[in-house]
Amino acid sequence: MVNSMAVNEEQTAEIEQFLCKERVERFLYEEAALLDRREQKAWLSLLDEDIEYKAPLRITREHTNDNFSSSAYYFDEDYGSLKARVQRFESEYAWSERPPSRTRRFVSNVRASKRDDGTVEAKSYLLLYYGQGDSESYTFLAGRRKDVLRPDGETFTIAKRDVYLDHAVPKIDKISVFL
Amino acid sequence: MSTPTEEVSSENYNSAEHSPLLSEIEASLEDGKLPLKAFNDETVHELELERLFSREWIFIGHESEVPEEGDYARRYIAGDPFIFIRDMNGEIQVLFDSCRHRGTKLCRAEQGNTSHFRCPYHGWTYKNDGELVGVPQKEVAFKNLDQSEHGLHSAPRVDSYAGLVFASLSDAGESLEEHLGEFTWYLDIQFKLPDGGMEVIGEPHRWVAETNWKTGADNFAGDSYHTGFAHHSIKQLGLGGDDTVGVAGAGETKDRHIHCNGHTTSTRMVEGEDVFMTYPDEIVDLFNPDNVTSEQYTAAKEALSFTGSVFPNLAFLNFGDITDDPNKDVTGFLGLRKWRPLGPNKTEIWSWALAPKRASEETKERIYKVYMSNFGPTGNFEQDDVSIWNGITDVADSTFASQHNLELNYQMGTEQMSEVAYDEQWPGPGTVYAINLEEVGMQKFHDQWFDHLSTPLETSRRPERSECAGSSECELPEDGE
């Protein structure tokens, strides 16, 4: 009896974990689709108003492969500055997105774990195709992300996102997309 | 369309192959124009590397980036790799990153701290001032090698002003002091005002854009004209004030374009007001009138912004009335940028943010955030600039532009285009335009650029083989083996 209860508890925990990861994946895929469809205002509604959204600069050091600046960033945003960027992209004179770029965000390698405070830590890889205009050229941005998500029914809101790009020196004219 | 003029004598140009191109450029310049192809042309690029970047004073970094002995950062002059390092005596060195034995690069990181560099190939080891101190198996393999003559090559000339370190790959030519000349009056306002000096926050942004380096340089050499149009979104969304990002020449501000010793700066001011680039009080309190002259202090006080260009490829902007979110306070920030040519159509943009060293961490963070929201690869200003600049690169190598010698117009501010008014009362040096609608500053940039391109390097300008690193006087280390 005791053993089978323990097995059941283990299974329940694993099922819960599985469910959590499934929900996180579903959320991240939908988020990526929103951004790729340029529904940036809808994307804003997925962000908590106390969001911390950061993408620190990668720094090449001699002995370790994964160093990031503690004071220099591609993005160091709060809700207000993200909202301003969205409004700008949707305005008439944001030349960096005229014409609007074509993006495809491939989100993979998702790992999710519940944290003691009820939030979920979600780690993912991101590969972002970026093309614009009628040119044959395109580029990719690659990196990993670490999010803190707040459960909201069966879905989530984003409380925190750290993006760690893989590029030492991005070969892209400008980063005019959200990661 | 212009044709090469008779007076242009090809004997000024050392190579017949370059002569038609240079004559064509010269003819355009005389008319306040520039051939479009100059912005994407392999020959022009090669001449720039050979005759401009190997001769001029090129910005390397700010002293605050290497505060401690042994601190180093990888830096470049065009394609050439250098190590920007503070040696064990506290002296700043700019060392060519190449082992004297077989030539490979020694520096394997972007930044760090080290007392020595050891070559990964055969183990030759250099102190952080460039002195060769270790040669494996020396007694057997290299017993007669004079180590004192095999230190890392130093950039032939290294000098600094107000924390800005420059190097020249030529051992002849004007000194940095002569190169900057009276333009230091304007650099002082940006770099010397606060007690404790300025420091770089974090690491510089670096990214590679498909644009020609001269397009960025042009933009900072007095292009107030583009601000109200290219950056209209900033004004529209309330991210920058009318006076900073409004249409040039249309506002209430006192606008000036200044050409001084081959460099340029432009400013927008509010006469009689305490503006100080809208820095928060904490920063303004650090601005000490004793650090500059009273005229410089007044200029800083009234200024909403200064942008400028130091020939050839350094630019700065001390930019006020700007924010990352219309609901937050505006601030000023000081940015430095370097246009590093990687090819005729490719530039690595380097962009630094600076703040007074004695500012609180909180204020530094705020200044950085506003800098990053507006400049750097994600900046609301810079994104739009670079997207537009690429279009110039695209058309500059067109067959049409080349075959028909299409020219770009830089005539604004010349008598043929507009009424030119000068500010004779201006307290600082230089030619001072009483309006920010003029492109003569860019013409002057082009003229100097052309002077370099049309002047062959003398062969004697190559560094001596035996030159030791670590001292411009080339003293031998006392305890060298």
Side-chain angles (χ1 to χ4, degrees):
Chain A
M1 274 302 275
V2 174
N3 278 349
S4 80
M5 268 180 71
V7 168
N8 283 341
E9 272 173 29
E10 263 176 35
Q11 277 185 340
T12 308
E14 198 175 351
I15 288 167
E16 263 189 35
Q17 171 61 26
F18 181 79
L19 198 60
C20 173
K21 179 171 173 277
E22 178 63 26
R23 285 174 174 168
V24 165
E25 282 183 348
R26 205 185 301 160
F27 173 75
L28 292 177
Y29 297 164
E30 281 307 320
E31 186 215 350
L34 272 182
L35 285 170
D36 289 340
R37 291 199 303 268
R38 299 190 72 79
E39 292 178 30
Q40 300 186 91
K41 278 187 180 151
W43 177 73
L44 266 185
S45 71
L46 303 181
L47 313 182
D48 287 319
E49 297 221 344
D50 61 349
I51 187 170
E52 291 174 42
Y53 179 104
K54 291 187 178 186
L57 255 63
R58 175 178 285 275
I59 308 295
T60 307
R61 290 284 184 266
E62 190 162 1
H63 300 294
T64 49
N65 80 335
D66 218 22
N67 281 293
F68 291 87
S69 176
S70 56
S71 50
Y73 300 89
Y74 297 113
F75 287 109
D76 178 8
E77 308 295 308
D78 52 34
Y79 189 82
S81 64
L82 288 168
K83 188 176 167 192
R85 286 181 186 275
V86 167
Q87 287 175 335
R88 206 185 80 81
F89 287 139
E90 297 197 342
S91 75
E92 197 179 343
Y93 295 97
W95 303 110
S96 63
E97 286 293 317
R98 292 290 165 276
S101 57
R102 298 175 300 277
T103 59
R104 193 65 56 206
R105 289 167 174 78
F106 298 89
V107 177
S108 68
N109 303 55
V110 174
R111 285 145 294 160
S113 55
K114 286 187 178 168
R115 303 188 339 155
D116 291 343
D117 63 359
T119 61
V120 171
E121 181 179 274
K123 294 176 175 173
S124 60
Y125 289 179
L126 176 70
L127 182 66
L128 189 154
Y129 165 94
Y130 186 93
Q132 191 174 31
D134 68 347
S135 157
E136 82 293 352
S137 68
Y138 56 86
T139 190
F140 283 98
L141 288 172
R144 63 186 168 86
R145 305 186 298 188
K146 191 170 88 177
D147 298 339
V148 174
L149 306 178
R150 288 199 178 105
D152 177 14
E154 292 188 0
T155 181
F156 300 92
T157 53
I158 305 173
K160 195 169 187 295
R161 168 162 294 169
D162 292 300
V163 185
Y164 302 98
L165 285 176
D166 293 323
H167 312 259
V169 179
K171 197 178 170 192
I172 186 168
D173 297 322
K174 77 279 175 186
I175 302 175
S176 51
V177 289
F178 298 108
L179 303 168
Chain B
M1 260 167 273
S2 53
T3 49
T5 54
E6 297 275 319
E7 309 88 81
V8 178
S9 126
S10 62
E11 70 194 2
N12 292 333
Y13 314 135
N14 69 334
S15 152
E17 120 195 57
H18 296 144
S19 182
L21 172 73
L22 290 169
S23 301
E24 203 174 284
I25 293 172
E26 188 167 43
S28 279
L29 292 178
E30 282 169 4
D31 194 26
K33 294 181 175 177
L34 190 62
L36 173 53
K37 72 177 172 196
F39 289 90
N40 192 350
D41 182 274
E42 191 63 56
T43 307
V44 167
H45 174 66
E46 282 168 14
L47 283 171
E48 287 170 350
L49 295 187
E50 180 194 309
R51 299 178 179 184
L52 174 63
F53 287 94
S54 59
R55 182 146 55 191
E56 263 304 351
W57 286 99
I58 305 298
F59 180 66
I60 297 295
H62 190 263
E63 284 175 1
S64 67
E65 295 183 89
V66 287
E68 307 292 335
E69 289 164 15
D71 284 351
Y72 68 89
R74 152 58 56 69
R75 291 296 143 94
Y76 299 87
I77 294 178
D80 300 357
F82 286 85
I83 307 170
F84 172 44
I85 188 163
R86 191 180 290 272
D87 69 23
M88 64 288 195
N89 299 316
E91 299 295 319
I92 284 181
Q93 308 279 352
V94 178
L95 305 171
F96 188 51
D97 186 9
S98 172
C99 181
R100 290 296 301 277
H101 175 225
R102 209 57 103 237
T104 194
K105 293 198 284 187
L106 306 165
C107 178
R108 306 183 85 75
E110 202 176 4
Q111 286 191 10
N113 182 287
T114 191
S115 59
H116 293 80
F117 289 98
R118 176 171 294 136
C119 181
Y121 206 0
H122 305 92
W124 284 30
T125 301
Y126 304 85
K127 280 206 292 195
N128 59 17
D129 65 356
E131 182 193 348
L132 178 63
V133 291
V135 176
Q137 325 282 89
K138 181 170 190 287
E139 286 315 308
V140 186
F142 267 112
K143 65 178 179 172
N144 293 324
L145 183 81
D146 183 351
Q147 289 187 199
S148 70
E149 293 201 350
H150 287 80
L152 294 178
H153 283 299
S154 169
R157 293 185 297 159
V158 177
D159 203 350
S160 70
Y161 184 80
L164 305 168
V165 178
F166 296 81
S168 167
L169 297 188
S170 166
D171 51 12
E174 58 182 9
S175 65
L176 180 65
E177 196 182 341
E178 290 164 336
H179 175 64
L180 296 176
E182 288 188 304
F183 194 68
T184 53
W185 198 89
Y186 301 99
L187 294 178
D188 291 349
I189 294 172
Q190 327 306 329
F191 294 96
K192 284 191 169 174
L193 203 48
D195 281 337
M198 299 296 293
E199 72 173 9
V200 167
I201 308 176
E203 296 78 11
H205 280 117
R206 298 170 57 182
W207 74 107
V208 175
E210 288 172 358
T211 188
N212 183 275
W213 72 275
K214 295 189 292 300
T215 301
D218 258 3
N219 184 270
F220 277 75
D223 196 332
S224 303
Y225 193 41
H226 89 294
T227 312
F229 199 74
H231 303 302
H232 185 65
S233 73
I234 304 289
K235 186 179 148 186
Q236 204 176 33
L237 291 159
L239 292 166
D242 273 7
D243 289 335
T244 307
V245 292
V247 172
E252 300 292 303
T253 46
K254 171 178 159 180
D255 306 324
R256 295 291 179 269
H257 270 200
I258 298 148
H259 313 154
C260 181
N261 221 63
H263 317 291
T264 54
T265 186
S266 51
T267 179
R268 294 190 184 199
M269 296 179 150
V270 187
E271 228 167 350
E273 298 284 324
D274 277 22
V275 187
F276 285 113
M277 281 74 77
T278 72
Y279 279 106
D281 290 346
E282 180 199 323
I283 301 286
V284 174
D285 290 346
L286 290 169
F287 291 162
N288 186 341
D290 295 340
N291 295 334
V292 290
T293 64
S294 64
E295 290 84 2
Q296 287 170 307
Y297 187 77
T298 303
K301 189 174 80 159
E302 295 185 343
L304 268 164
S305 66
F306 277 98
T307 58
S309 180
V310 177
F311 188 82
N313 65 332
L314 172 66
F316 62 86
L317 72 166
N318 207 347
F319 213 61
D321 206 11
I322 192 85
T323 184
D324 59 333
D325 172 356
N327 298 311
K328 289 196 212 109
D329 287 344
V330 297
T331 181
F333 68 84
L334 176 60
L336 270 174
R337 48 242 342 283
K338 169 171 165 166
W339 322 105
R340 176 191 170 210
L342 293 181
N345 55 6
K346 205 187 278 186
T347 299
E348 185 182 46
I349 306 175
W350 288 61
S351 176
W352 292 258
L354 296 93
K357 202 176 284 182
R358 290 191 192 161
S360 67
E361 287 309 309
E362 191 189 349
T363 299
K364 284 179 191 170
E365 277 175 29
R366 176 70 192 145
I367 287 173
Y368 185 85
K369 198 169 149 118
V370 171
Y371 148 77
M372 176 215 64
S373 297
N374 291 293
F375 286 85
T378 52
N380 289 328
F381 273 80
E382 190 122 39
Q383 285 177 25
D384 289 352
D385 279 323
V386 179
S387 312
I388 294 166
W389 295 349
N390 290 350
I392 303 171
T393 318
D394 285 348
V395 296
D397 76 342
S398 63
T399 308
F400 186 61
S402 178
Q403 287 185 349
H404 295 266
N405 189 22
L406 300 191
E407 296 172 292
L408 305 181
N409 186 304
Y410 294 84
Q411 294 173 335
M412 184 175 32
T414 57
E415 308 226 336
Q416 68 206 99
M417 281 296 148
S418 46
E419 298 284 319
V420 183
Y422 302 97
D423 181 353
E424 308 291 350
Q425 310 305 316
W426 181 260
T431 305
V432 184
Y433 285 75
I435 187 170
N436 57 4
L437 288 170
E438 63 82 31
E439 291 166 342
V440 180
M442 291 180 224
Q443 288 186 17
K444 295 198 168 185
F445 164 60
H446 303 151
D447 288 344
Q448 288 182 90
W449 163 82
F450 181 75
D451 281 349
H452 280 283
L453 260 60
S454 53
T455 309
L457 269 195
E458 276 124 36
T459 45
S460 67
R461 288 207 169 107
R462 293 173 196 278
E464 296 291 315
R465 266 181 71 91
S466 61
E467 181 175 357
C468 69
S471 159
S472 51
E473 285 80 44
C474 209
E475 290 162 0
L476 297 179
E478 283 168 18
D479 55 354
E481 261 185 50

